[in-house]
Amino acid sequence: MIDRYSPEKIYMQISKAIEADIQDVFEPGDLYLSEKVLTEKFGVNRHTVRRAIEELVKQGILEKRHGFGTFIAEKRLAYCIKGHQRFTESVEANDLLAESTVLNKKVISARGGVAEKLQLKNNDEVIQVDSLRKVEGKVAALITHFIPKDICPAISEKYESGSLGEFLKAESNIQPKRISSLVSSAMPNAEDSFRLGMASSQPVLKVKTVNEDTQTGRRIEYSITRFRSDMIQLEILINT
Amino acid sequence: MIDRYSPEKIYMQISKAIEADIQDVFEPGDLYLSEKVLTEKFGVNRHTVRRAIEELVKQGILEKRHGFGTFIAEKRLAYCIKGHQRFTESVEANDLLAESTVLNKKVISARGGVAEKLQLKNNDEVIQVDSLRKVEGKVAALITHFIPKDICPAISEKYESGSLGEFLKAESNIQPKRISSLVSSAMPNAEDSFRLGMASSQPVLKVKTVNEDTQTGRRIEYSITRFRSDMIQLEILINT
DNA sequence: TCATTTCACTTGTCTAGACATCTAAAACTA
DNA sequence: TAGTTTTAGATGTCTAGACAAGTGAAATGA
């Protein structure tokens, strides 16, 4: 099974063998073989097996849990590679993706980027809302909204789900309008990759948006959206 | 220097110590201490030092070259974190970024995505041009263009640098117009991360663009741009 | 019954050493 | 001088073994 005279390193041979093994026999979510079993199966040292597994974890194919075992990762990267079935969203749409769940709400003091984008003074009160957006039942994005508290204090109590834009219209007679969007690519922090249910080795697509009120011109919302890069791509629409 | 009774793992202690050491004493591009020296300095096994260095390589702070040594990485992540000094480019602009260098040109057979986007039959001839775009002398993006060969065979010989759009106008009396852009985030392949001079642990921002000729409506160019995520962010312009 | 402790098993960390592979420069040779 | 070979030193791979730390279930206790 292992060719010790091949120029290909043993850990890479094992890594590929495991990858093939997974696709033949295992399902996403299954517990995979332990390091001890693999050590005996391939006739190599445990550290070599660990190195092979490390490759697959890096690729998002396996996941480990200290003291418990190694798992076949839920579809992720494979999803994207197989069918190029990524969802295409438009940044022109004010409220992306249908389903929405609020994760938490809190009042913070404006500072740095938030104060700047919302044109507030430091320590002005801002409501922060973190919410999860799903597509076909799967988590696709994580959005952090910042809204000056005086604009719509009702958010803290009432807003639970659905479109935040619609909520603002209904509660505060405000017509939000997107005035700028900045798109970038970055690695997710540990919390975000966990919430998005994705491998921490995969990047996210970040969109920072500022909305103002059509009538008054006041900045009313700043949001940072992190899309799962294996699920979502953005389409830029052209106005002709 | 190392606390063997701390709950913090030794390799993490060393990793942090090295990180501090780098910021105090070393400059980007410098050759760092060898594993042997670090082994003696910290009084641990070589594998433990390697594990510590691995962390920093993952973070894009150090870089290794087999058989030569370990280097302080050129500014990258730090660059972005420190000043938020990323360049902002607009996807509306047809030719992003001033300086351009052609890396290679070749004629290929259309298939898959290329054939589809350019609305060609399989095996139709397509000219592929890879070029490097710089901002302030630094590599910022890598672009792969695909142009049906019959539209402008002169590219193979004549096109050397500058705007490909301008070249097409001059040579073939064509008015390119962007008809769609898809933006996504992904990890770079080994070749791309090398050419972009970035850590392979950092993602790229990918933009796939299709251009057509204003007059005939024919698809004349399909390009895939990979931006260094630590240098470039895209601004979405709003036409009001 | 329910809470606690033990236990078997998992992955994680660290050590020690051998040999492979790669690099750049020094030494050598024509 | 120019090209080749050697060599020292760097990182890369693999082995072997010990102990740490986390998990979940089984055994134990009140």
Side-chain angles (χ1 to χ4, degrees), chain A residues 4 9-11 44-48 65-68:
Chain A
R4 288 189 177 262
K9 301 304 171 190
I10 294 175
Y11 75 87
V44 298
N45 189 272
R46 186 182 154 219
H47 293 294
T48 306
R65 271 180 59 196
H66 187 185
F68 194 66

Side-chain angles (χ1 to χ4, degrees), chain B residues 4 10-11 45 47-48 65-68:
Chain B
R4 289 192 174 260
I10 294 175
Y11 76 88
N45 188 273
H47 292 294
T48 307
R65 272 179 58 196
H66 186 184
F68 194 67

Side-chain angles (χ1 to χ4, degrees), chain B residues 184-212:
Chain B
S184 61
S185 173
M187 298 309 288
N189 61 33
E191 195 183 351
D192 285 0
S193 65
F194 174 75
R195 280 171 163 176
L196 287 167
M198 58 186 283
S200 57
S201 58
Q202 289 302 114
V204 291
L205 186 62
K206 237 182 226 190
V207 181
K208 298 181 183 179
T209 307
V210 177
N211 282 301
E212 69 176 24

Side-chain angles (χ1 to χ4, degrees), chain A residues 30-43:
Chain A
D30 286 358
L31 184 62
Y32 192 58
L33 308 176
S34 74
E35 293 172 359
K36 185 159 175 285
V37 171
L38 291 170
T39 292
E40 288 156 4
K41 178 173 175 182
F42 291 106

Side-chain angles (χ1 to χ4, degrees), chain B residues 69-82:
Chain B
T70 304
F71 296 83
I72 319 301
E74 301 289 341
K75 293 181 188 181
R76 308 235 154 111
L77 197 54
Y79 184 79
C80 141
I81 288 168
K82 271 182 190 164

